[in-house]
Amino acid sequence: MKKILFFIMAIILMFTSFGNIGYAASAKPPNIKKIKPLGEYTVTATSLYIRKGPSAKYKSLGYVKKNKKVKVYEIKKSWAYITYGSTKGYVSSKYLKKVTAKKKPTIVKKNTTSKVKKAIGERIVNATTLYVCKGPGTKYKSVGYLKKNKKVKIYEIKGNWVYIIDGKLKGYVSKTYLKTVKKPTPVKKTAPKPKPKPVAKPKPKPAPKPTPATSKPKPTTPTVNGHGKSYGQRIVNVSELNVRKTRSTKGKPVGVLKKGTKVTMYDVKSGWAYVTSGKIAGYVSTQYLQSTTPANRKIIVIDAGHGGKDPGASGNKLVEKEVTLNVAQRVEKLLKSAGIEVVMTRTGDTYPTLEDRIDTGVKANADTFVSIHCNFFSKASANGTETYYHNGGPADRANHSKQLATFINERLVQAIDTTNRGVKKEEYRVINSNPLAAVLVELGFLSNKQDASKLASNKYRDIAAKAIYQGILDYYKYIGK
Ligand SMILES: [Zn+2]
């Protein structure tokens, strides 16, 4: 019996040590001075953490934002060794997409230099937004756009494409949306000829991509058929907001809205809304739509973290989704008694997606968003309260979010007497894609005995709720509401 046990032990030891050797070897970063990179890859996750080793257990060294490019040197077991600026480390290769080499539209360069000297004429833009492409075809990237009635110099006509230069903007536009400049002509006595209808001629080619907004005949008032009731007006909060045909960044652009433009919003779903503004109608990302909460009203979203199929963290007999909902409901009561309008993302054990939670605030025309969570760490000694905000987006939103986080965090650590872990920037989805001033509060650690015993008690839940409520009042006072 002992012999057998010894034998089994020996085998276990063997495997353990082999395992360790294998792991250590794979964790060794490749010598990037000696090997060629596999190529450039684009990040597909909102924020992708760069870690010290090839596993989520390793310390994060920073993160790369969506659509940024990184150099990949090695991919092993779904982990890629990358460089990004001066940062080197591992990222999950699931969120990387290889950059495929595109043929360079050399024709543009040639034309830019050879044709720049002599314009062959002038035309007027006859579309709300006319996209300028890098080359004479739909496959080329758009490099900018021209607004309606803009006069541009033309240099070359290639089939249905015209090479134009407008200041620094150079490239090809679809001929269909350029009209000739009318010269003042002596008044003729003959009856005016009927205008040729643009639709009369069958097009030899399919409509060029991207299609300007006026490519299809539209009624004078924007149609909202199938887009439900209006949620009222919102204001564009980014210098240029792309309006698209579908609810995705891959959707065909149908127009651009400038900062400060008022839009009427319909049909909010998954971070996208159908909006109309003048003749432009289509989908925009709601993270660039500023609320128009009336000055005499305060509308706040209280988001109880997790719920339903997603319990969140659990420790010391507590489950995060239960604690967050319970505290959120206490906060709700206090706010309502102070005349503040509260919108809850959930009121029971359900799981709204992160986008649903953001949509809730957008639809309600809320001004503020507070998400309540509990922390967890593998080491039971980790403890304390921290509050997150997102530093991106419009400057006023980032500043307001930071202030809100500071007020709530200060009130909380004083009231429930936890370690102050501070106010931190983070890329959590509910705060980084949110158009509202938004924060995420981590009340304390469920994995820590002292923190958990407080979060288990009704007394401390009340105290915590009151602290969050007071932090919110501090914030409203700060922004002059
Ligand atoms: Zn959580």
Side-chain angles (χ1 to χ4, degrees):
M1 193 67 186
K2 261 190 182 168
K3 227 178 187 178
I4 291 170
L5 253 177
F6 178 76
F7 183 67
I8 291 169
M9 286 273 285
I11 286 176
I12 290 170
L13 274 171
M14 241 170 73
F15 274 100
T16 320
S17 56
F18 275 137
N20 280 341
I21 288 164
Y23 193 68
S26 70
K28 212 174 186 184
N31 186 346
I32 59 168
K33 278 177 188 157
K34 279 190 180 167
I35 62 165
K36 264 192 184 174
L38 299 173
E40 269 198 324
Y41 284 67
T42 311
V43 172
T44 61
T46 311
S47 39
L48 182 60
Y49 283 92
I50 305 172
R51 299 192 182 271
K52 231 176 162 178
S55 139
K57 282 175 193 161
Y58 285 93
K59 209 183 116 186
S60 112
L61 305 167
Y63 62 86
V64 196
K65 283 204 174 190
K66 193 168 184 167
N67 297 329
K68 293 280 178 200
K69 283 182 186 119
V70 298
K71 237 180 222 172
V72 174
Y73 286 86
E74 179 187 87
I75 300 177
K76 268 186 187 169
K77 289 180 183 168
S78 299
W79 285 86
Y81 187 80
I82 62 120
T83 60
Y84 176 64
S86 58
T87 313
K88 304 178 186 92
Y90 291 87
V91 300
S92 167
S93 63
K94 283 178 221 158
Y95 306 107
L96 292 177
K97 206 180 121 194
K98 186 147 193 183
V99 177
T100 45
K102 274 182 201 160
K103 273 186 215 162
K104 276 192 183 163
T106 43
I107 193 160
V108 175
K109 261 187 193 163
K110 205 180 91 195
N111 285 332
T112 317
T113 48
S114 62
K115 308 280 180 188
V116 76
K117 289 162 202 161
K118 212 178 161 192
I120 57 171
E122 263 190 332
R123 295 288 187 278
I124 289 171
V125 174
N126 195 20
T128 311
T129 310
L130 180 59
Y131 284 88
V132 181
C133 296
K134 235 176 164 177
T138 56
K139 64 185 173 191
Y140 293 98
K141 221 175 105 180
S142 108
V143 291
Y145 65 90
L146 298 164
K147 286 260 167 189
K148 192 164 186 165
N149 295 328
K150 176 88 196 170
K151 213 184 262 181
V152 289
K153 282 190 175 147
I154 68 164
Y155 292 81
E156 187 193 24
I157 301 173
K158 268 198 162 190
N160 198 37
W161 292 84
V162 181
Y163 187 78
I164 63 102
I165 297 178
D166 176 47
K168 281 181 183 171
L169 186 60
K170 296 166 193 167
Y172 290 87
V173 297
S174 166
K175 201 169 116 188
T176 318
Y177 306 107
L178 289 179
K179 60 179 182 183
T180 47
V181 181
K182 271 187 197 160
K183 280 174 195 159
T185 44
V187 182
K188 283 176 190 170
K189 276 164 194 172
T190 51
K193 280 175 194 169
K195 278 179 202 163
K197 278 177 196 163
V199 286
K201 256 189 245 170
K203 275 178 201 163
K205 273 189 204 172
K209 231 186 345 177
T211 313
T214 52
S215 63
K216 276 179 199 164
K218 272 188 183 152
T220 43
T221 49
T223 169
V224 291
N225 281 346
H227 295 287
K229 66 164 182 139
S230 153
Y231 290 100
Q233 285 196 319
R234 299 293 185 276
I235 298 164
V236 174
N237 203 7
V238 66
S239 57
E240 285 178 1
L241 179 60
N242 284 312
V243 183
R244 299 181 187 276
K245 213 171 171 183
T246 54
R247 222 181 275 275
S248 149
T249 50
K250 284 175 188 157
K252 221 184 209 181
V254 294
V256 174
L257 296 167
K258 291 266 175 191
K259 189 169 183 164
T261 306
K262 275 188 182 161
V263 299
T264 308
M265 187 179 76
Y266 305 82
D267 196 8
V268 177
K269 208 176 123 194
S270 309
W272 289 81
Y274 186 82
V275 299
T276 61
S277 171
K279 281 184 178 174
I280 296 181
Y283 291 95
V284 298
S285 166
T286 57
Q287 66 173 303
Y288 306 111
L289 293 182
Q290 194 187 310
S291 327
T292 53
T293 322
N296 60 350
R297 285 170 69 189
K298 304 180 188 88
I299 309 175
I300 190 165
V301 179
I302 299 295
D303 173 42
H306 310 276
K309 62 173 184 185
D310 170 22
S314 48
N316 290 299
K317 292 180 186 164
L318 290 175
V319 182
E320 187 180 357
K321 67 172 181 178
E322 291 167 9
V323 179
T324 59
L325 180 61
N326 190 270
V327 173
Q329 284 169 333
R330 291 167 200 253
V331 176
E332 179 192 15
K333 262 186 204 156
L334 291 165
L335 289 167
K336 280 184 172 168
S337 68
I340 296 167
E341 293 167 62
V342 183
V343 188
M344 301 290 281
T345 56
R346 67 182 179 99
T347 53
D349 189 20
T350 55
Y351 178 74
T353 65
L354 300 179
E355 277 76 19
D356 290 340
R357 295 168 200 250
I358 296 169
D359 290 349
T360 300
V362 171
K363 286 178 189 172
N365 204 7
D367 49 32
T368 311
F369 186 101
V370 175
S371 185
I372 299 172
H373 285 253
C374 302
N375 229 330
F376 184 89
F377 195 63
S378 50
K379 277 184 188 156
S381 56
N383 70 90
T385 301
E386 58 196 20
T387 307
Y388 292 99
Y389 71 99
H390 177 238
N391 200 33
D396 53 348
R397 192 196 81 101
N399 289 335
H400 284 177
S401 301
K402 189 181 179 181
Q403 279 301 333
L404 177 62
T406 307
F407 286 132
I408 292 176
N409 204 69
E410 285 303 312
R411 288 282 189 176
L412 261 175
V413 293
Q414 277 181 34
I416 59 173
D417 193 25
T418 45
T419 304
N420 189 351
R421 298 173 66 92
V423 163
K424 298 168 178 178
K425 294 179 222 170
E426 194 46 272
E427 291 284 334
Y428 292 130
R429 187 118 182 101
V430 286
I431 56 174
N432 78 0
S433 310
N434 204 317
L436 313 180
V439 300
L440 188 148
V441 185
E442 296 277 10
L443 298 168
F445 282 73
L446 298 183
S447 44
N448 176 265
K449 266 212 174 105
Q450 285 74 36
D451 281 8
S453 77
K454 284 176 184 168
L455 293 172
S457 83
N458 275 319
K459 183 186 150 194
Y460 271 96
R461 286 182 184 183
D462 264 340
I463 296 174
K466 197 172 178 193
I468 294 171
Y469 157 75
Q470 283 173 324
I472 292 166
L473 292 188
D474 293 341
Y475 168 74
Y476 276 129
K477 200 173 164 191
Y478 168 81
I479 61 165
K481 266 214 167 183

